[in-house]
Amino acid sequence: MKSTEDFGLTGPSDDELFDGLHRSVAGATMTASAADVVALGRRARTRHRAVAAGVGTSMAALVAAIGVLAPSADSGPGTASARGLATATGKRLAPGQTLDIQEAGFSLSSKGDGKVTLSVSEVFDAAKIQAALASIGISSRVERITASEGSGIIVPTCEPKTGRQFADDDFRNYEGLSPGTGARAMTIDAAHIPAGEVLVVRLTSLKQGVITAWSLYKRDPGPCIPANKSVKVQ
Amino acid sequence: MTVDQGSEDFAAFYERHRDPCFRAVLATVPDRHQAEELTAEAFARAWAGWRRLRRHPAPAAWVVRTALNTHVSWWRRRRREVAWDGGALDAEADRAASGTAGTVGADSADGDATAADLLLRAALRRLPPRQREVVVLRVFLDLDTKTTAAALGVAPGTVQAHLHRATKALRAELEASDEQEEVRR
């Protein structure tokens, strides 16, 4: 698989450099088994904070797997109502352009690398978050969900329209999202989100804290309609 | 325990790529235990998203990038709490330069590594993140330019440019070290 077509650009001793790097870690092996890793994955998947952090870029897959969470627009547990799509209205950040929006409930910042980090507090205004994202050229749908909690957390699944389930094809892969610092922070690389794609952030309010699910859709998924099914998160 | 996430055989993927991924992470992280934790966590995330990840152009590259991004998050958290011990890298380089590579210790993976090798590794850690990623994917995962570019979501020419700058910087570090050695003599 390796090719050296670009090694030649950098001089004849590149191979020595790379051999040296190889030697510096040669012989190092992982001690964890596949079963250990899977166990770690299972634990992480059931931890609220791991889910909240999006578990890196696997969040889209997780959201797809559990059917996507239902919004409730600040109403009672398990109920949902739709929030509209906020279509991009502003221009995306130019190279070198920094951003620092601090609002009650969320912050949006960029260090000038074209990526923006959105951090959401437990108490937030979804419409303001959508508007802020739209102002920097990112179409989004931010929805609030209230789960019912008993012996575990029951999150109603949702569907794009009655009788239809979200499918893998509705989602874009996770490129463009990476966890930021904190449980509800995500760094968004707008360069990986073509026009027409939509960032969907679903925030599930719990008695203690908020679970945040992030995903990218190839097109606006529309408001989430609660399905008759629900998913026990914990 | 079964490895049943997705229909692909995640275990086979793990067995095939775990050591190269671990070495790639180890090359960029000062602590061996931390490197193993980061790699294991990244693989765990890969397992959780395996149904999608298996379609990735280079799943192993995703694992390494995830581990490195997680490391950045840890570093940021730590930086907020205490001053980051950036001197640790310099100390490693100094030890390597002074010929005491054998005492570099916990993350020194192999006795065959020369002082220059460890100096290189310390220099690798000082590269800008994107250059470091390119070197790691090209060298430790043995990816070609096209696959590296796909994994990073950039153009192949960008990969070549980063690699060029990275090797130039690494070479400069080595030359500077050689000069210091000459002065010592």
Side-chain angles (χ1 to χ4, degrees), chain B residues 90-101:
Chain B
D90 296 330
E92 179 175 343
D94 289 344
R95 284 195 297 269
S98 62
T100 56

Side-chain angles (χ1 to χ4, degrees), chain B residues 47-67:
Chain B
W47 171 81
W50 185 241
R51 281 180 56 200
R52 287 179 176 279
L53 185 58
R54 68 188 179 186
R55 299 180 213 151
H56 192 280
W62 183 92
V63 168
V64 170
R65 290 192 72 200
T66 299

Side-chain angles (χ1 to χ4, degrees), chain B residues 8-180:
Chain B
E8 288 288 323
D9 187 357
F10 175 81
F13 166 74
Y14 179 74
E15 291 303 325
R16 182 177 173 193
H17 293 287
R18 68 178 188 174
D19 287 340
C21 288
F22 173 55
R23 287 168 195 156
V25 176
L26 179 60
T28 58
V29 174
D31 180 79
R32 184 191 180 105
H33 296 294
Q34 189 185 25
E36 182 147 4
E37 280 182 27
L38 290 168
T39 309
E41 185 172 335
F43 270 111
R45 293 179 182 186
W47 171 81
W50 185 241
R51 281 180 56 200
R52 287 179 176 279
L53 185 58
R54 68 188 179 186
R55 299 180 213 151
H56 192 280
W62 183 92
V63 168
V64 170
R65 290 192 72 200
T66 299
L68 298 185
N69 285 337
T70 305
H71 180 236
V72 170
S73 296
W74 284 6
W75 175 69
R76 283 180 184 146
R77 282 199 293 273
R78 184 178 171 191
R79 188 174 55 170
R80 279 213 304 263
E81 295 162 359
V82 294
W84 182 57
D85 185 17
L89 289 180
D90 296 330
E92 179 175 343
D94 289 344
R95 284 195 297 269
S98 62
T100 56
T103 62
V104 170
D107 64 340
S108 169
D110 190 273
D112 293 338
T114 66
D117 298 338
L118 297 175
L119 191 75
L120 263 178
R121 190 170 65 180
L124 173 69
R125 293 171 185 162
R126 284 194 286 267
L127 290 178
R130 196 55 127 182
Q131 289 180 26
R132 196 165 56 225
E133 279 186 329
V134 167
V135 171
V136 160
L137 298 186
R138 291 284 277 115
V139 174
F140 293 102
L141 296 190
D142 216 13
L143 300 184
D144 60 24
T145 303
K146 190 177 172 185
T147 311
T148 303
L152 296 177
V154 299
T158 306
V159 169
Q160 291 176 330
H162 282 308
L163 190 66
H164 175 73
R165 293 188 195 116
T167 51
K168 189 177 174 184
L170 292 175
R171 193 175 294 110
E173 290 265 3
L174 277 186
E175 287 171 358
S177 169
D178 287 345
E179 286 171 8
Q180 286 178 359

Side-chain angles (χ1 to χ4, degrees), chain A residues 117-149:
Chain A
T117 298
L118 171 61
S119 301
V120 183
S121 303
E122 292 189 8
V123 179
F124 57 88
D125 183 331
K128 279 190 177 177
I129 296 173
Q130 288 190 157
L133 288 169
S135 72
I136 54 168
I138 299 175
S139 298
S140 69
R141 185 179 282 279
V142 182
E143 300 172 314
R144 180 191 288 273
I145 299 160
T146 303
S148 59
E149 294 181 77

